[in-house]
Amino acid sequence: MSLVLDSAAQDLLFREARTANTFTDEPVTDEQVQAIYDLVKFGPTAFNQSPLRVVLVRSAEGRERLVQHMAEGNQPKTSTAPLVAILAADNEFHEELPALLPHFPQAKDMFFSERPARESAAGLNAALQAAYFIIGVRAAGLAAGPMTGYDAAGIQKEFLDDDHAPLMVVNIGKPGEDAWFPRSPRLSFDEVVTTV
């Protein structure tokens, strides 16, 4: 059985897409980011909790503050990408649940009154949304360079607060010269899927 999504879209989103390591200087506009969010916000999360929060780093001053917290190998990429997004999990997402889950407003207190439960749920569901975000960047015809090589405590202190935990930093833009490393191997269907 073939997929409904056409082959070109499959290539754009998955088969030909890779983590970009260099970018052109073509700007990424606010309109592009808005379009990305307006698409990926529909990806499912448990209880529709939607805990992903995004900090866009555009200014030279903001970039300088961010780069100092990146691992050495990631600093040049983050210094030169047209746009950088810090993706974070909001551990106080439950405050939005009455609006996001109007048919079950008691979920806020029933399931998420304790901070450890919120942190666990926020981490998992914001990570799902981060994956949707990367796919959305690709759908916009841009390249994403997601990274977890950074000082998380430093980024949290510099850009977030105690209620927001950084998940990843994503460089965004049009791919530059020598943007791609060779494609790494993937596990086969039979190595991943078990039927019982």
Side-chain angles (χ1 to χ4, degrees):
M1 177 179 173
S2 63
L3 300 175
V4 173
L5 195 65
D6 71 55
S7 185
Q10 293 172 41
D11 288 344
L12 176 71
L13 300 179
F14 293 101
R15 286 193 292 258
E16 299 298 326
R18 287 182 290 218
T19 295
N21 294 288
T22 66
F23 298 88
T24 70
D25 58 3
E26 182 177 331
V28 176
T29 67
D30 288 339
E31 292 77 17
Q32 287 172 300
V33 178
Q34 178 79 50
I36 291 165
Y37 177 73
D38 285 343
L39 174 65
V40 304
K41 69 183 179 185
F42 294 109
T45 57
F47 292 97
N48 197 33
Q49 61 191 245
S50 307
L52 182 71
R53 302 296 180 264
V54 181
V55 176
L56 297 178
V57 182
R58 287 195 180 279
S59 70
E61 180 266 339
R63 189 74 58 102
E64 187 175 311
R65 288 168 45 214
L66 176 59
V67 167
Q68 68 180 338
H69 298 293
M70 300 303 296
E72 186 176 345
N74 291 332
Q75 289 178 355
K77 297 181 268 191
T78 303
S79 294
T80 57
L83 179 63
V84 183
I86 300 169
L87 305 187
D90 181 359
N91 292 311
E92 297 297 310
F93 68 86
H94 69 305
E95 297 295 344
E96 306 293 337
L97 278 182
L100 292 171
L101 202 65
H103 63 280
F104 189 21
Q106 62 271 35
K108 172 188 173 190
D109 297 317
M110 186 179 293
F111 297 105
F112 302 111
S113 62
E114 301 295 324
R115 178 71 179 229
R118 291 197 304 273
E119 288 179 355
S120 176
L124 171 62
N125 287 280
L128 280 173
Q129 288 187 285
Y132 305 147
F133 184 85
I134 292 166
I135 300 300
V137 168
R138 293 172 177 177
L142 300 168
M147 301 169 292
T148 56
Y150 53 77
D151 172 13
I155 287 179
Q156 184 174 28
K157 183 177 179 182
E158 193 81 36
F159 294 94
L160 304 167
D161 58 33
D162 291 341
D163 291 330
H164 295 81
L167 296 171
M168 65 182 67
V169 173
V170 183
N171 296 324
I172 303 169
K174 292 285 188 180
E177 189 174 339
D178 299 321
W180 320 115
F181 293 146
R183 169 73 78 194
S184 295
R186 297 297 192 267
L187 296 174
S188 71
F189 179 86
D190 291 336
E191 292 173 298
V192 173
V193 177
T194 302
T195 302
V196 295

